[in-house]
Amino acid sequence: MNTDVTVILDNSGIQRAITRIAHEILERNKGVAGVVLLGIKTGGAYLAKTLAAQLERIEGTQIPVGEVDITLYRDDIKEHGVNLEVGKTDIPFSLDGKKAVLVDDVLFTGRTIRAAMDAMMDHGRPDSIQLAVLIDRGHRELPIRADYVGRNVPTSLKENIKVSFDDNNQPIQVLLEK
């Protein structure tokens, strides 16, 4: 392994973080009634499914899960021109009156979360929006804060955080690249 890469969380650490986040969601919302998960494509969508499975193991109730593609809501879309690949937002349930938990892998500047909230509002009006992230690396440019954090990892702007997934889209490790 390259000496410029450090494993921040291995598979067991990720599973512990997901379990802790699941319990925190249950405590804050007094169960899963009215709770829906929306994963931000792509890593957040994979994590939302993993988190939903953990919530189901704990509560015995299936949680609705959707996916949000933020491509057309990005504030830097003009810089990327016509080369952006637009994915599909898939929210197969109403957001109206729900407690929506946005899920992403890494929280950085906050711009992705702002775009995801804009995309959500085009699909309904939830009672509340909460944010769950596996890693919060700091460097916010917008006043956005996660409600549920797997791990805070202070980074420099020259460093990068990468969440690796296996062939079944399960998170396997979190890397800090220097």
Side-chain angles (χ1 to χ4, degrees):
M1 183 177 268
N2 187 338
T3 57
D4 292 318
V5 176
T6 304
V7 176
I8 300 297
L9 286 175
D10 59 9
N11 186 276
S12 325
I14 292 171
Q15 294 312 312
R16 283 190 297 275
I18 295 286
T19 299
R20 185 175 67 261
I21 290 169
H23 282 285
E24 290 173 4
I25 288 170
L26 292 171
E27 287 175 28
R28 178 172 179 173
N29 295 289
K30 298 175 179 53
V32 293
V35 174
V36 298
L37 301 180
L38 293 169
I40 300 172
K41 289 204 172 189
T42 53
Y46 299 156
L47 286 169
K49 290 175 184 169
T50 302
L51 183 56
Q54 182 63 19
L55 285 164
E56 185 174 352
R57 277 191 287 278
I58 296 167
E59 285 292 292
T61 303
Q62 204 169 29
I63 312 301
V65 181
E67 296 181 0
V68 178
D69 180 84
I70 63 154
T71 306
L72 297 176
Y73 296 88
R74 294 171 56 127
D75 60 8
D76 62 351
I77 194 166
K78 290 178 184 173
E79 295 170 23
H80 293 282
V82 295
N83 297 331
L84 280 177
E85 187 175 320
V86 178
K88 181 180 179 223
T89 291
D90 181 21
I91 304 175
F93 45 83
S94 172
L95 291 177
D96 295 336
K98 299 290 193 270
K99 300 172 201 168
V101 180
L102 256 180
V103 181
D104 205 5
D105 51 358
V106 179
L107 176 56
F108 184 30
T109 63
R111 292 182 181 279
T112 296
I113 304 308
R114 185 218 42 91
M117 289 191 296
D118 287 349
M120 285 175 57
M121 293 313 215
D122 282 350
H123 292 274
R125 188 176 187 285
D127 277 352
S128 66
I129 300 173
Q130 300 165 28
L131 177 59
V133 297
L134 184 58
I135 302 293
D136 183 345
R137 65 170 287 191
H139 303 287
R140 222 67 82 238
E141 294 174 2
L142 299 174
I144 290 177
R145 175 187 57 79
D147 299 285
Y148 314 104
V149 178
R151 180 134 178 221
N152 286 292
V153 181
T155 62
S156 78
L157 288 173
K158 295 177 182 176
E159 295 172 320
N160 190 31
I161 299 279
K162 182 176 190 297
V163 179
S164 299
F165 296 88
D166 65 16
D167 293 338
N168 296 317
N169 300 327
Q170 295 298 307
I172 53 174
Q173 64 182 358
V174 178
L175 303 173
L176 173 65
E177 300 172 342
K178 296 180 184 180

